[in-house]
Amino acid sequence: MPEIQKRPIEKYLDVASISEEGTSERYQRASSPHTVFTWWARRPFSTARELISASIDPERPAGESKVLDPFVGGATFPIAGTRLGVRMYGMENNELAYFSAKALLDISRSAGRQLQHLLVLEGRKVLDQLKSETGDLYPARDADNVICYFWSRSATCADCGGEMPLQKRPWLSRKSGRQRAVVQQRNPSSRTFDARVVEPDAGAVADSSAWSGRNSLRCLFCGKEYDREQTAELIRKASADKLTAVARLDKRKSFLAVADPQDHVTGGLAEKMIEEDCAALGLPLPDVEIPAWSGITNPTVYGHDSVPSLFTERQLAVTIRLCRILSERQEIWEKEYGEARSKAIAAFLSGLIDQLADWNSRLCMWISQNEQVGRGLSGPGMPMLWDFVETDPLLRGPANLYGKLDRIAAGVGQIPMPEDREERITRGDSRSMAYPDAFFDAVVTDPPYYDNLYYSILADCIYAFKRMALIGGFPEIFGEPRTDSTRELSAAPRRQGGSPEAWAYFSTGMTRVLRESRRVLKRDGVITVCYAHSSISGWSSLIAAYVRAGLAITQLWPMTVERTHRPRSMRSAAVNTSLVLVARPRDVVETTGEAEGPSGTDELVKAAVRRAAAAGWPDEVAATLAFVSAAEARLGELTDDMLSRQETVNSVCREVAGRIHEEIPGFSFSSR
């Protein structure tokens, strides 16, 4: 049997350059395939490229290397590998992610390099039609060029009937010399509040909000107090969105208070359009419930418990009219360009639905520092916003669809299109793969991070509408009204019955994926996984899966490619650095003698500290490397039954973490 050679990733990885390039890519606004469709927690293409390149055999031409990504998600790894000339394959469970990856890797090739031009040509026709047909929804569109509408939730006091403003974010602009805020002043005679736009020096941003605590209210007219439960109940039954201000675009934005909402919103028209469009499409308005998970899906606490309820009637009307236009135009495209190109045009222009769902809902925050709109579906869950911004997406303001179309087309221009017609993306569960044994040269992936994101909840907010536009052309993907969350490999105590059950679900699922990856991997191949978490359970579940799957971690590399100022990162000093775990089947490692080396916790800690010092890495990185290595060694002493229990595995991992903390005091885990 020929000697098994180390892959480059087991010997050296320029983590400093990869981290720097990856972080730079994160902050760039340049268009890329990531701008075409919405997905979450995607790695930079530069990072994926380097990990794939270092994981394959350098002695073999890239075109002869087959690499699998068992968690395709946003298709970063398949696209990056295809650019290298590698034969990339991917699997995906979630219907929305599968469709996006299928479009990017397979459907795009049916249209070829003409696709970018066709998207611009046909996309502008779609948007021009959408603009024409939604004009009546925006009375101030043509006359006043109003690009943004600022809404604030208000409740009605159960005792006196007085208005109770729930405003928490009054600022419209914090740019130097342009500071503006919307304040609401009491009108005692009508027991209401009148909105005014003020400059800071023309009157402080007065606190006219009815909030008396984080989750409690006090009526500013009669003084009635509402505790947390009463507040939630009141808002569910007696509250509404109040239009307080608008932004008009001339040479620059100007902000105006709203005296009469009828100047800006046409009553009843949106509901009529929705009814007509649903009838034309032959589909009802999506009735997709949002799970009531307080702390994760907070709008459900206050009555927004379905996907449509996250949008105003006007936002819904625009989105569903776009779905209708895309659905009806597919027949025109098929006659003009043929079936394959027609499906490709429809698939990629459906990215406009992603943009509407993500950038124009009740979840979208106004960012006053730069006068822009923030994404509503940024994850990991859904916020409850008391103040949100609605845009006119057909004007040249923030998050407008014409700009989004240009970015979609530019992103499509960067999609690799190999000459072969082999379909590379498979819909399925990676816990049971259909590939033959020893088929791949490497497995490289970015799996779900335990409980960091609940993909299906966010995906439903896009999928439910995209289905209305695409079910005719892609019935095999959009047959069901929502994505199937039962197959999602995430630790969700509310789904699985509790924390121990959620831990076991994720760890056992990852064990099955890693076992299957081991089965389809060639004897000399490696499994490369990029992972990050800040809790004991997040790491213990994964490390136990490696041990149960019969894999040995042969190398660890730290990377920092996330946005460093994320709130979750700032709250914890634990394992915020992403780790690249390189593994081989344990029996292969044992035959090569690679398993020899330090095994005790103290020895592994010292080895990690020496390695980090030599590389110039901080103590936290040394602690992270030591923890994973020592935890793997300790868990390797347990039986499979013991490895399936959270309490047992976490106890061992806490002992390891405690010992490392003695050596490196800055090392800690979050409590969740």
Side-chain angles (χ1 to χ4, degrees):
M1 182 178 297
E3 181 182 355
I4 292 177
Q5 300 295 321
K6 285 186 176 183
R7 293 288 167 87
I9 199 168
E10 294 176 292
K11 296 184 287 186
Y12 177 73
L13 196 66
D14 189 352
V15 295
S17 296
I18 292 173
S19 297
E20 183 177 356
E21 187 175 0
T23 301
S24 175
E25 184 181 326
R26 286 275 195 206
Y27 283 92
Q28 288 177 358
R29 291 181 55 84
S31 297
S32 79
H34 279 167
T35 66
V36 179
F37 301 111
T38 296
W39 195 249
W40 297 271
R42 294 183 288 199
R43 292 286 174 183
F45 284 108
S46 57
T47 301
R49 179 192 67 226
E50 295 301 324
L51 295 184
I52 293 168
S53 178
S55 297
I56 59 178
D57 185 351
E59 302 298 324
R60 184 179 301 146
E64 296 179 8
S65 297
K66 297 191 291 288
V67 176
L68 171 67
D69 179 359
F71 296 102
V72 165
T76 302
F77 283 87
I79 291 174
T82 302
R83 283 174 172 170
L84 290 169
V86 175
R87 293 174 61 188
M88 294 294 302
Y89 297 79
M91 294 188 69
E92 179 54 53
N93 244 338
N94 183 277
E95 290 84 351
L96 182 66
Y98 168 71
F99 170 77
S100 300
K102 189 75 174 173
L104 291 165
L105 272 299
D106 293 338
I107 296 174
S108 61
R109 286 180 285 169
S110 65
R113 289 298 174 190
Q114 261 195 314
L115 179 58
Q116 184 179 13
H117 167 72
L118 293 176
L119 290 177
V120 173
L121 177 67
E122 298 300 333
R124 287 178 181 164
K125 292 178 184 177
V126 166
L127 294 183
D128 288 346
Q129 181 180 348
L130 182 63
K131 183 177 181 180
S132 173
E133 294 180 5
T134 58
D136 290 343
L137 289 172
Y138 299 90
R141 173 187 283 174
D142 296 328
D144 298 321
N145 207 28
V146 172
I147 58 172
C148 295
Y149 302 82
F150 301 95
W151 298 84
S152 183
R153 199 77 174 167
S154 287
T156 301
C157 178
D159 273 15
C160 72
E163 182 183 357
M164 301 173 66
L166 304 178
Q167 180 173 294
K168 286 190 175 182
R169 299 176 62 87
W171 286 98
L172 299 172
S173 177
R174 286 191 170 180
K175 287 186 175 181
S176 178
R178 283 178 48 80
Q179 292 91 343
R180 298 289 187 279
V182 59
V183 299
Q184 298 191 57
Q185 295 182 330
R186 272 187 287 183
N187 186 332
S189 62
S190 63
R191 291 183 180 267
T192 60
F193 282 77
D194 301 322
R196 293 179 57 214
V197 172
V198 302
E199 301 177 32
D201 58 1
V205 181
D207 183 11
S208 55
S209 170
W211 293 104
S212 59
R214 183 176 179 184
N215 297 295
S216 57
L217 296 175
R218 179 178 180 272
C219 178
L220 299 179
F221 292 106
C222 71
K224 179 175 175 59
E225 300 276 356
Y226 296 85
D227 63 22
R228 178 173 183 159
E229 291 185 3
Q230 292 170 329
T231 293
E233 183 70 10
L234 180 70
I235 293 172
R236 280 195 295 268
K237 292 184 176 180
S239 68
D241 298 326
K242 176 182 179 179
L243 183 61
T244 59
V246 297
R248 187 169 62 195
L249 183 64
D250 295 316
K251 291 183 178 180
R252 61 192 307 182
K253 298 186 191 79
S254 59
F255 301 97
L256 306 171
V258 171
D260 186 354
Q262 292 185 359
D263 292 340
H264 301 282
V265 181
T266 306
L269 179 60
E271 293 89 336
K272 183 180 178 181
M273 284 182 60
I274 292 169
E275 184 178 350
E276 291 175 350
D277 290 344
C278 286
L281 289 165
L283 293 168
L285 187 68
D287 185 22
V288 177
E289 290 185 359
I290 302 170
W293 295 357
S294 178
I296 296 173
T297 54
N298 288 330
T300 60
V301 176
Y302 303 100
H304 296 302
D305 52 9
S306 68
V307 168
S309 71
L310 299 177
F311 302 82
T312 68
E313 293 297 322
R314 181 161 61 185
Q315 289 170 332
L316 279 176
V318 173
T319 301
I320 294 174
R321 179 55 59 93
L322 173 60
C323 293
R324 177 179 175 178
I325 293 171
L326 289 174
S327 176
E328 292 176 347
R329 280 188 170 266
Q330 288 174 56
E331 185 176 345
I332 299 173
W333 294 331
E334 186 169 347
K335 290 179 181 178
E336 190 164 351
Y337 303 116
E339 181 182 2
R341 284 181 178 166
S342 170
K343 293 181 74 170
I345 293 169
F348 283 95
L349 287 184
S350 77
L352 294 169
I353 299 173
D354 299 45
Q355 303 303 324
L356 271 182
D358 202 5
W359 294 89
N360 205 19
S361 75
R362 284 189 169 108
L363 303 180
C364 290
M365 179 187 299
W366 179 250
I367 304 173
S368 57
Q369 288 84 349
N370 60 2
E371 299 180 11
Q372 293 294 326
V373 178
R375 290 179 60 195
L377 301 175
S378 58
M382 295 176 179
M384 178 60 198
L385 291 187
W386 307 106
D387 312 280
F388 67 90
V389 60
E390 176 194 12
T391 66
D392 183 338
L394 283 310
L395 292 185
R396 295 285 179 178
N400 77 87
L401 288 181
Y402 285 96
K404 298 295 186 184
L405 172 63
D406 291 341
R407 296 192 72 191
I408 288 171
V412 168
Q414 297 185 40
I415 297 173
M417 295 189 182
E419 295 297 325
D420 69 84
R421 288 293 180 262
E422 181 182 10
E423 294 191 358
R424 304 287 176 79
I425 305 300
T426 302
R427 181 179 172 185
D429 193 329
S430 294
R431 286 167 282 198
S432 179
M433 301 181 188
Y435 301 110
D437 295 354
F439 185 72
F440 294 105
D441 297 275
V443 175
V444 186
T445 193
D446 185 28
Y449 292 175
Y450 193 63
D451 61 353
N452 275 1
L453 266 172
Y454 299 106
Y455 298 92
S456 62
I457 295 175
L458 299 170
D460 281 343
C461 297
I462 297 172
Y463 174 90
F465 298 114
K466 187 168 285 198
R467 176 177 183 263
M468 300 183 78
L470 299 178
I471 189 171
F474 302 91
E476 72 284 3
I477 300 176
F478 294 98
E480 297 299 322
R482 66 183 305 163
T483 63
D484 187 350
S485 62
T486 65
R487 301 193 308 261
E488 183 174 310
L489 189 51
S490 294
R494 295 170 179 84
R495 275 192 196 132
Q496 289 120 23
S499 293
E501 292 82 3
W503 184 95
Y505 174 82
F506 180 82
S507 188
T508 299
M510 283 302 303
T511 298
R512 291 175 60 187
V513 173
L514 292 172
R515 282 175 180 165
E516 280 290 87
S517 298
R518 174 184 173 183
R519 178 185 64 80
V520 301
L521 187 69
K522 293 179 180 177
R523 182 173 174 79
D524 64 341
V526 296
I527 298 172
T528 300
V529 171
C530 202
Y531 188 80
H533 210 274
S534 61
S535 75
I536 282 280
S537 292
W539 275 103
S540 69
S541 58
L542 181 71
I543 300 170
Y546 272 86
V547 177
R548 295 178 72 189
L551 295 175
I553 299 172
T554 61
Q555 188 57 276
L556 295 165
W557 297 102
M559 288 194 308
T560 306
V561 295
E562 303 295 341
R563 292 183 182 269
T564 55
H565 299 296
R566 294 175 306 163
R568 179 170 291 183
S569 294
M570 295 169 68
R571 284 197 295 268
S572 173
V575 200
N576 290 322
T577 298
S578 298
L579 276 195
V580 177
L581 297 85
V582 186
R584 290 179 181 269
R586 182 164 294 280
D587 58 340
V588 172
V589 174
E590 289 172 348
T591 61
T592 61
E594 292 294 330
E596 298 176 2
S599 58
T601 301
D602 289 345
E603 290 80 7
L604 287 167
V605 171
K606 292 177 181 177
V609 170
R610 288 195 299 270
R611 181 186 177 197
W617 299 335
D619 287 347
E620 183 182 331
V621 169
T624 303
L625 299 176
F627 172 78
V628 175
S629 298
E632 180 195 21
R634 288 289 305 278
L635 294 180
E637 301 168 0
L638 305 183
T639 64
D640 189 76
D641 180 63
M642 297 167 71
L643 287 168
S644 67
R645 298 199 295 267
Q646 180 187 26
E647 182 179 355
T648 302
V649 174
N650 277 6
S651 177
V652 171
C653 288
R654 286 193 188 96
E655 289 180 17
V656 171
R659 175 64 191 90
I660 295 173
H661 178 76
E662 293 175 5
E663 188 74 25
I664 306 174
F667 179 71
S668 64
F669 279 104
S670 69
S671 59
R672 84 181 204 278

